[in-house]
Amino acid sequence: MRKIVEHKNIIADKGFSIISNVFSTEEIRKISEVIQNIDTSKETFRKSEDLFAIRQFLKEIPEVKDLIFNDNLKEIIKDIFGGKYFVVKSIYFDKPEKSNWYVTYHQDLTISVDKKVQLDNFGPWTTKQNQFAVQPPLEILENIFTIRIHLDDTDENNGALKVVPKSHAKGIYRPETIDWNVETENICSVEKGGLMIMKPLLLHGSNRTTNGKKRRVIHIEFSDKELPEELNWSEKII
């Protein structure tokens, strides 16, 4: 595993980095077992032939938290993010073996909050399953880190993320304006038990699964910024 400071520098430069062997095979087995034994009928769960997702994952399945935040992950968060970062969003994705689900290039431009209020520079708003999301000022987005924990080997054949390196440093970057004469594409293969750290403003997407192998990912976002007093992060976990 590269020295953490190297990953920190790579993330600052390219907008992402991949760290292998953060979780052992046994740790991944235990996390998977907890997820397999949950009640999937709640409204925060999304289930289709192409995708199974759990929003507010750490809130819905609190027993998985201690398994996820092992010593390796806590050290990575402290050394790369700093000691003041906290969880602000968590989602579990399961792209099944025969999934045709794909995601076009985009940036993650919204945050999850507890209610809808009128605030300068906050908007537009969306509501899904009684959860509120809003596009905040750019400085809040620039401050967020995302960790994607991989429960399966993932490559270009089963929906690994594809990204545009350095695009996180260009503010709001509309996918339709990408100039492929200038930009490059990187496929982010991650081994089971590894993770990818990325900035949410990094342009990213994923292709359909073609090799009959599933892809399960735990997506967790972190910030150290407090929101205006009228608003709260919907999933703040310290």
Side-chain angles (χ1 to χ4, degrees), residues 17 19 34 54 71 86 91 111 113 124 127 136 149 158 182 186 189 193 204-206 216 228-229 233 235:
S17 191
I19 306 178
V34 170
I54 304 172
D71 289 343
F86 47 84
I91 310 173
I111 59 173
V113 293
T127 305
I149 300 165
N158 66 328
V182 177
N186 191 307
S189 297
H204 59 285
S206 64
R216 296 170 298 159
E229 61 181 15
W233 298 99
E235 280 184 79

Side-chain angles (χ1 to χ4, degrees), residues 156-188:
E156 70 275 11
N157 298 311
N158 66 328
L161 276 195
K162 51 185 183 180
V163 303
V164 179
K166 300 179 182 283
S167 55
H168 71 297
K170 298 182 179 181
I172 304 299
Y173 192 159
R174 300 300 177 192
E176 61 271 17
T177 68
I178 298 173
D179 182 354
W180 291 113
N181 294 313
V182 177
E183 305 289 14
T184 58
E185 179 177 271
N186 191 307
I187 304 294
C188 300

Side-chain angles (χ1 to χ4, degrees), residues 41-143:
S41 64
K42 296 182 180 179
E43 64 175 14
T44 47
F45 295 6
R46 173 180 177 179
K47 200 166 188 178
S48 70
E49 289 184 3
D50 286 326
L51 181 71
F52 173 54
I54 304 172
R55 298 181 184 277
Q56 299 199 8
F57 176 64
L58 294 175
K59 272 190 172 182
E60 292 289 1
I61 312 175
E63 59 268 35
V64 85
K65 182 183 172 186
D66 287 343
L67 297 173
I68 289 172
F69 288 91
N70 67 5
D71 289 343
N72 285 343
L73 186 60
K74 286 190 283 192
E75 181 182 353
I76 288 166
I77 292 168
K78 182 174 180 294
D79 290 348
I80 293 181
F81 305 171
K84 296 181 179 179
Y85 270 74
F86 47 84
V87 173
V88 296
K89 186 176 185 178
S90 61
I91 310 173
Y92 168 75
F93 294 106
D94 180 351
K95 185 185 280 191
E97 294 89 336
K98 297 180 180 179
S99 173
N100 283 319
W101 180 269
Y102 72 97
V103 180
T104 58
Y105 267 111
H106 67 286
Q107 296 172 300
D108 292 338
L109 295 177
T110 63
I111 59 173
S112 296
V113 293
D114 63 335
K115 57 184 172 293
K116 182 176 180 178
V117 294
Q118 294 302 315
L119 288 172
D120 291 342
N121 302 316
F122 280 77
W125 289 79
T126 60
T127 305
K128 291 181 181 177
Q129 297 167 322
N130 213 24
Q131 297 180 61
F132 303 97
V134 64
Q135 184 171 323
L138 193 61
E139 61 265 23
I140 291 178
L141 293 173
E142 289 174 336
N143 178 256

Side-chain angles (χ1 to χ4, degrees), residues 173-225:
Y173 192 159
R174 300 300 177 192
E176 61 271 17
T177 68
I178 298 173
D179 182 354
W180 291 113
N181 294 313
V182 177
E183 305 289 14
T184 58
E185 179 177 271
N186 191 307
I187 304 294
C188 300
S189 297
V190 185
E191 294 178 351
K192 176 181 178 178
L195 56 81
M196 176 181 178
I197 302 177
M198 60 178 278
K199 302 296 287 180
L201 290 176
L202 184 75
L203 278 165
H204 59 285
S206 64
N207 295 328
R208 293 180 171 90
T209 297
T210 59
N211 65 357
K213 294 182 179 179
K214 65 162 45 184
R215 184 204 70 175
R216 296 170 298 159
V217 174
I218 296 168
H219 169 117
I220 308 175
E221 297 177 16
F222 299 81
S223 177
D224 66 353
K225 282 191 178 295

